[in-house]
Amino acid sequence: MASSKQEKFNQHRYAKDRRSRVLRFLANDREPCCIQCGYKDERALVFDHIHNDGHRDRKTGWSLLNQILDEPERFQILCHNCNYLKELENRSRQSV
């Protein structure tokens, strides 16, 4: 049982480290931050599809991190708040 917990811990740490490396890659090897407001806490930063074409990526079966490494120009870093506001703005434009 201890080895199972250790494996889960290692997997979680690997995923967190990989996510941090991809954030830094997308930020051109600088400290990652929200491009809208400048927020820097990585726990609240998300990868955003600039052109709202995430549906296209979900169909491919590729992991999001691999897609970012393959086509970084399609993504940006936003904090959760700015990402949510972007989503609300897109919804209001679609309903008009």
Side-chain angles (χ1 to χ4, degrees):
M1 179 134 175
S3 64
S4 177
K5 283 184 180 182
Q6 185 64 41
E7 286 176 25
K8 283 189 178 200
F9 174 78
N10 288 341
Q11 288 172 349
H12 176 73
R13 187 170 62 192
Y14 172 79
K16 184 178 174 186
D17 290 346
R18 184 160 188 247
R19 182 180 180 280
S20 289
R21 287 192 309 270
V22 174
L23 277 168
R24 191 162 288 279
F25 168 79
L26 204 52
N28 296 316
D29 286 326
R30 293 188 303 263
E31 182 179 14
C33 66
C34 175
I35 65 156
Q36 293 292 327
C37 70
Y39 192 74
K40 295 182 179 181
D41 188 334
E42 283 189 24
R43 296 172 299 177
L45 296 178
V46 296
F47 302 109
D48 175 63
H49 291 81
I50 293 172
H51 303 292
N52 302 316
D53 57 356
H55 63 280
R56 176 185 115 179
D57 294 333
R58 285 186 287 278
K59 291 179 183 176
T60 67
W62 270 42
S63 79
L64 178 62
L65 299 182
N66 286 336
Q67 292 166 8
I68 293 168
L69 294 173
D70 192 47
E71 298 180 273
E73 67 280 356
R74 294 181 45 233
F75 298 89
Q76 62 189 355
I77 299 170
L78 294 177
C79 68
H80 279 288
N81 287 338
C82 290
N83 191 48
Y84 182 67
L85 291 173
K86 179 185 173 191
E87 183 180 333
L88 290 177
E89 290 170 4
N90 287 336
R91 285 183 192 175
S92 67
R93 276 190 224 118
Q94 290 173 356
S95 65
V96 174

